Amino acid sequence: MIHFDRVSKVFGEGATEVQALRDFTLEVPERQFCAVMGPSGSGKSTVLHLLAGLTKPSGGEIYLSQRPLSQMSEKDTAMMRRRELGFIFQFFHLLPYLNAEENVALPLLLDGLAADGVRRQTDRVLALVDLEHRRHHKPTELSGGEMQRVAIARALVTGPRVILADEPTGNLDSTASHSIMRLLRRSSEQMGVTVLMVTHDPVCASYGDRIVRVVDGQLVEDIDVTEHEEEGPTRSAVSVVSHRRRDE
């Protein structure tokens, strides 16, 4: 599904040069929930930006469903973002003058879907995130957790193959964070969506099937969560198997 093949990314040049990724290789199979962890400046968010086609790698290749992104036109890349990728951010990015239902429906309207299809798909994802009763409320009338649920519904409404989540619980308290992570987990399982999530929170990362750790632009640890409890943080330590790079 997702394949980073020896990818590097350099920002700036000369004295201001920063190497965000170095020879970065990662494969994420279809339907997997993969959490990417690392300290600030480690390059983890760059992974999401590159996969979304928002910036281009300095070297190597990135594949989505075996398609090399470097060979896609700007138009095709924009269409990929619209129809195949869903985005969830820390700060929600909801339009304040639209209610929850309208915020969720917006990607479908921009894509020209007929009204009956918009309503059907919007109803489906609002039910998935348990917000049918709040559909007519605007963002200022919702809690932080509810706003993030709207954002998740908006990300899912187009039926994407991949969800890219950048610190999705970073602006929430612990109770809301657990609720959002359970929802992401359920969305992945019920809709068969591949999830690539960046987080600094090990508890949130524990909801994934797999945790990879990035330091100084390199993948240094790959943790396969082979067995897990439904609630994520209660997973037994013996269910986590760590595969470290041989050269560490």
Side-chain angles (χ1 to χ4, degrees):
M1 164 58 75
I2 298 168
H3 182 198
F4 285 75
D5 185 14
R6 301 178 67 88
V7 171
S8 62
K9 178 60 183 178
V10 178
F11 294 100
E13 57 184 20
T16 62
E17 179 179 296
V18 175
Q19 190 155 12
L21 291 181
R22 309 164 187 261
D23 197 29
F24 182 85
T25 296
L26 173 69
E27 290 193 56
V28 181
E30 191 172 12
R31 295 174 177 259
Q32 187 175 80
F33 189 147
C34 180
V36 182
M37 297 191 68
S40 178
S42 63
K44 58 186 186 299
S45 291
T46 301
V47 171
L48 298 190
H49 297 161
L50 287 167
L51 182 59
L54 298 173
T55 187
K56 296 183 181 298
S58 303
E61 184 61 88
I62 303 166
Y63 300 86
L64 181 62
S65 300
Q66 300 184 329
R67 293 172 298 168
L69 298 193
S70 67
Q71 297 182 20
M72 296 176 65
S73 67
E74 291 294 332
K75 180 180 179 181
D76 289 340
T77 302
M79 193 63 67
M80 173 194 73
R81 282 194 293 266
R82 180 185 296 180
R83 295 182 175 175
E84 297 187 52
L85 303 179
F87 299 89
I88 304 170
F89 306 98
Q90 178 178 347
F91 294 105
F92 319 135
H93 296 302
L94 303 179
L95 296 180
Y97 50 85
L98 299 181
N99 63 30
E101 180 179 15
E102 293 164 339
N103 267 288
V104 172
L106 187 59
L108 301 177
L109 295 171
L110 293 175
D111 208 27
L113 188 66
D116 59 339
V118 171
R119 183 57 184 259
R120 182 171 59 253
Q121 290 181 224
T122 301
D123 286 348
R124 177 173 62 95
V125 293
L126 283 173
L128 180 66
V129 301
D130 300 322
L131 277 182
E132 292 171 294
H133 63 298
R134 304 286 276 171
R135 66 192 310 145
H136 299 302
H137 292 256
K138 292 184 177 179
T140 55
E141 301 169 317
L142 301 173
S143 69
E146 287 172 333
M147 284 192 284
Q148 193 62 296
R149 285 174 177 268
V150 174
I152 292 172
R154 181 183 58 191
L156 292 170
V157 74
T158 59
R161 302 185 67 182
V162 178
I163 289 290
L164 303 180
D166 194 353
E167 300 285 5
T169 64
N171 207 31
L172 302 174
D173 62 32
S174 60
T175 299
S177 294
H178 288 306
S179 177
I180 290 301
M181 292 311 304
R182 285 193 293 269
L183 174 58
L184 272 178
R185 178 91 207 165
R186 188 169 78 241
S187 300
S188 173
E189 293 172 345
Q190 293 185 6
M191 300 186 70
V193 180
T194 303
V195 178
L196 189 62
M197 178 184 72
V198 163
T199 182
H200 70 280
D201 186 340
V203 175
C204 290
S206 72
Y207 281 89
D209 303 307
R210 176 185 181 191
I211 303 168
V212 298
R213 190 164 64 91
V214 180
V215 175
D216 294 333
Q218 294 182 303
L219 195 156
V220 299
E221 191 173 26
D222 191 336
I223 303 171
D224 179 18
V225 184
T226 55
E227 299 176 6
H228 55 79
E229 302 287 342
E230 183 178 355
E231 294 302 307
T234 61
R235 296 176 185 181
S236 169
V238 298
S239 71
V240 178
V241 180
S242 174
H243 304 284
R244 294 184 179 270
R245 287 167 54 100
R246 292 181 182 272
D247 57 352
E248 284 197 294

